[in-house]
């Protein structure tokens, strides 16, 4: 997934090297997952499997462009097997890293890569990836600014690229909830909405 984001920030045309890859997006109906599905499908020919657990979220993930939608509250290996897939080349986890880690370790292909944006509550059993030579990395949008990394400027480049793709109609906005003006009461309500686990797309405040 990181490769797709890096690719979108610098290459104006499609990258055919990703065409035969398969990507599993866990939590594909949220704001980040929705955009990940769009990036993968509209900038490459990857086969994208998104997860969602309700009819409304399944419909949303299909609308974002996923080739297949499976339920992350049910047996994922069995559902992928029904699609003719034993493994996937990459996994982008947007929800419950702890909950899904062992399943991700089972599904990732040898030499594959897992990226998560969700901090775990417990140490992860990384040894389960060893025999597959699979790699795991974290993505956190504030890392570059927090630690003043050498590639800090790339954050702006990526955001500009995504803005261009939105303007060009390649990507569509994932905003579904206008949470109003940013104030304590609105913030509390927004937190309840997101914590409910039923959020579809992205929630945003007005300043």
């Amino acid at each position: 997934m990181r490769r797709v984001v890096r690719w979108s920030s610098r290459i104006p045309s499609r990258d055919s090297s990703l065409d035969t890859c398969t990507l599993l997006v866990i939590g594909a109906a949220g704001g980040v997952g929705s955009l990940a599905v769009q990036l993968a499908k509209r900038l490459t020919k990857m086969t994208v499997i998104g997860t969602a657990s309700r009819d409304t979220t399944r419909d949303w993930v299909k609308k974002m462009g996923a080739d297949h939608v499976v339920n992350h509250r049910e047996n994922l290996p069995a559902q992928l097997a029904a699609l003719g897939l034993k493994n996937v080349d990459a996994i982008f986890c947007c929800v419950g890293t702890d909950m899904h880690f062992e399943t991700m370790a089972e599904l990732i292909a040898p030499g594959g890569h897992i990226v998560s944006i969700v901090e775990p509550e417990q140490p992860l059993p990384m040894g389960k990836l060893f025999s597959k030579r699979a790699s795991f990395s974290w993505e956190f949008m504030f890392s570059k600014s927090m630690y003043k990394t050498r590639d800090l400027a790339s954050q702006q480049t990526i955001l500009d690229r995504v803005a261009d793709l939105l303007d060009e109609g390649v990507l569509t906005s994932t905003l579904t909830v206008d949470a109003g003006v940013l104030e304590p009461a609105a913030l509390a309500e927004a937190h309840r909405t997101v914590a409910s686990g039923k959020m579809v797309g992205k929630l945003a405040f007005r300043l």
Side-chain angles (χ1 to χ4, degrees):
M1 195 61 229
R2 179 177 293 177
R3 183 181 176 192
V4 174
V5 175
R6 283 203 306 262
W7 173 88
S8 70
S9 72
R10 70 176 188 269
I11 303 178
S13 58
R14 195 175 56 76
D15 183 354
S16 61
S17 69
L18 295 170
D19 286 357
T20 60
C21 293
T22 50
L23 169 67
L24 173 65
V25 180
I26 300 177
V32 177
S34 297
L35 194 57
V37 170
Q38 289 190 65
L39 284 168
K41 285 306 302 178
R42 298 178 186 179
L43 303 181
T44 79
K45 289 188 176 179
M46 297 175 77
T47 297
V48 177
I49 306 100
T51 79
S53 59
R54 295 178 289 121
D55 288 343
T56 53
T57 51
R58 290 174 66 87
D59 290 345
W60 174 264
V61 175
K62 287 294 288 184
K63 180 181 177 182
M64 293 297 102
D67 297 290
H68 308 286
V69 183
V70 293
N71 190 336
H72 53 256
R73 298 187 186 278
E74 298 177 4
N75 187 308
L76 283 177
Q79 292 176 83
L80 264 64
L83 297 174
L85 297 170
K86 181 179 179 181
N87 299 116
V88 292
D89 299 297
I91 300 174
F92 187 47
C93 182
C94 303
V95 61
T97 304
D98 305 74
M99 180 190 311
H100 297 294
F101 187 82
E102 294 206 16
T103 297
M104 292 192 290
E106 178 181 349
L107 289 175
I108 196 66
H113 188 62
I114 302 171
V115 176
S116 178
I117 63 169
V118 184
E119 185 177 6
E121 296 181 3
Q122 302 293 332
L124 299 175
M126 290 295 178
K128 292 183 178 294
L129 303 177
F130 176 75
S131 65
K132 290 185 173 181
R133 298 178 294 105
S135 56
F136 183 98
S137 64
W138 300 106
E139 195 60 52
F140 180 56
M141 67 178 295
F142 301 112
S143 291
K144 295 175 182 179
S145 57
M146 284 175 65
Y147 298 104
K148 303 297 187 293
T149 60
R150 294 178 181 178
D151 61 345
L152 177 60
S154 67
Q155 190 82 353
Q156 184 65 52
T157 303
I158 292 172
L159 291 173
D160 288 344
R161 176 64 173 141
V162 171
D164 288 343
L165 291 170
L166 284 164
D167 290 342
E168 294 164 7
V170 176
L171 301 178
T172 58
S173 173
T174 61
L175 179 64
T176 56
V177 178
D178 180 348
V181 177
L182 181 58
E183 56 184 13
L187 184 60
E189 179 60 30
H191 184 270
R192 285 191 290 270
T193 299
V194 174
S196 72
K198 297 181 179 180
M199 182 69 198
V200 178
K202 201 74 174 174
L203 176 152
F205 291 100
R206 284 180 274 115
L207 300 178

